[in-house]
Amino acid sequence: MLKRLVHSLKSLVASFYWLVVIGRWGIDSVFDAVYEGQSRSETFRKIFRDAFGAEYPEEVDTTGFLTVTDLHNAAKYLGVGPGQTFVDLACGRGGASLWVARETGANVVGIDISKVAIKDAKGRIGSFGLDGRADFRVADIAATGIPAGTFDGALSNDALFMVPDKQGAFREAAHILKPGARFAFTTWELDESMRIKDYHPILEQSGFEVELYEACPGWEVRQRAVHEQILANKEKLIQEMGKDAAGVWIMFSQVELPKLPLMRRIFVVARKK
Ligand SMILES: C[S@@+](CC[C@H](N)C(=O)[O-])C[C@H]1O[C@@H](n2cnc3c(N)ncnc32)[C@H](O)[C@@H]1O
C-alpha cells in the first residue's frame, strides 16, 4: 500500500516535471536532445533488444515501442504499392518509413518536428536502397503545409499521444490523404491530458471510418521491462547518452510505469471517407 502511494507520488511529480520540460523547451528540443544522445548508447539499445526478443526491429532502430509485427501490419494494411506514396507522420529517424517503403515498393515522405531526427532519417535513405524514393521534412504534423489529397496512405508510430493539437493532427491527416486512402497507426489510450481514452470519436469527426482497432499483443510486458531496466541503469545511461537525453527517458519511465495497467497500446487502421 505504502509502496504504491510512494510510486504514485513519484509519478505525479515526474508527470508535472515532464509537462514543464515540454512546455519550456518545446517538444522539438526535447526530441533533438533524445536523438543526439540515444544513438551513442549501447546500453539503451540492449535494454530494448532484451525486452523485445524476436520482436525487436534491429535494422529499423526506432524510438518507441515498435515491433516487427507492427511493421508487417503497417505494410499489410496501408494498401500501398509501387508508384504510390505514403506519409509517415512523426517519423522520428525514419526507420519505419524506410522499412515499409522497401517492403511495399511505395515511395515515402516522412515528417517530424525534430531537426536532428530528420537529418538522421535523410542519412539512412541509402542504407535501405531507397535513393530517390524517400523524402524527409521538418514540420508539425498538425500543420504540414502539404496540399489536399496528396498521399495514398499514412503511417504514424507511437507519436499521436503526445501531440497537443490532436484534433488538428487527425484533421490534417485526413486533409493530405486521397479519398479511400488508409491511415495506419500505433498509439496509447489513457484518459489523461496527453492521451485519449478512445480514438473512435476523433477519427470519425475527422472524416475517417475505422476498419481495425485492436490492442497490440504483449505490449505491456515489453514496456514494463524497458522502463524497469531504464530505471535500473540510470547512471550508465547518463554516462553514455548524456544527462539531457537520458533524463528524458528516465523521467518518462518514472511517469509511465505506474500507469501501465491503465493504458493500452493500440494498432488502428482507418479509411478516409
Ligand atoms: C516516440 S517518437 C516515435 C518516432 C518514430 N515514429 C518511431 O517509431 O521511431 C515520437 C516522435 O514524434 C515527434 N513529434 C512529436 N510531436 C510532433 C508534432 N507535433 N509534429 C511532428 N512530429 C512530432 C517527435 O519529434 C518524435 O520524433
Side-chain angles (χ1 to χ4, degrees), residues 94-148:
S97 329
L98 295 166
W99 191 95
V100 173
R102 192 180 59 198
E103 184 75 7
T104 59
N107 305 322
V108 66
V109 174
I111 292 171
D112 201 280
I113 208 157
S114 159
K115 287 190 228 43
V116 175
I118 291 300
K119 185 167 170 267
D120 284 358
K122 284 182 175 167
R124 300 176 76 193
I125 296 173
S127 67
F128 280 80
L130 292 174
D131 285 318
R133 280 183 42 206
D135 178 23
F136 291 99
R137 306 175 192 171
V138 177
D140 187 326
I141 61 166
T144 62
I146 293 170

Side-chain angles (χ1 to χ4, degrees), residues 55-161:
E55 280 286 1
Y56 183 64
E58 185 81 44
E59 180 193 16
V60 166
D61 191 14
T62 169
T63 304
F65 291 88
L66 194 75
T67 61
V68 170
T69 300
D70 294 333
L71 287 166
H72 283 283
N73 279 339
K76 175 174 162 192
Y77 289 105
L78 264 183
V80 292
Q84 294 185 306
T85 304
F86 69 93
V87 62
D88 186 353
L89 298 168
C91 62
R93 299 179 57 248
S97 329
L98 295 166
W99 191 95
V100 173
R102 192 180 59 198
E103 184 75 7
T104 59
N107 305 322
V108 66
V109 174
I111 292 171
D112 201 280
I113 208 157
S114 159
K115 287 190 228 43
V116 175
I118 291 300
K119 185 167 170 267
D120 284 358
K122 284 182 175 167
R124 300 176 76 193
I125 296 173
S127 67
F128 280 80
L130 292 174
D131 285 318
R133 280 183 42 206
D135 178 23
F136 291 99
R137 306 175 192 171
V138 177
D140 187 326
I141 61 166
T144 62
I146 293 170
T150 298
F151 296 110
D152 301 290
L155 177 67
S156 183
N157 292 308
D158 297 357
L160 288 161
F161 74 95

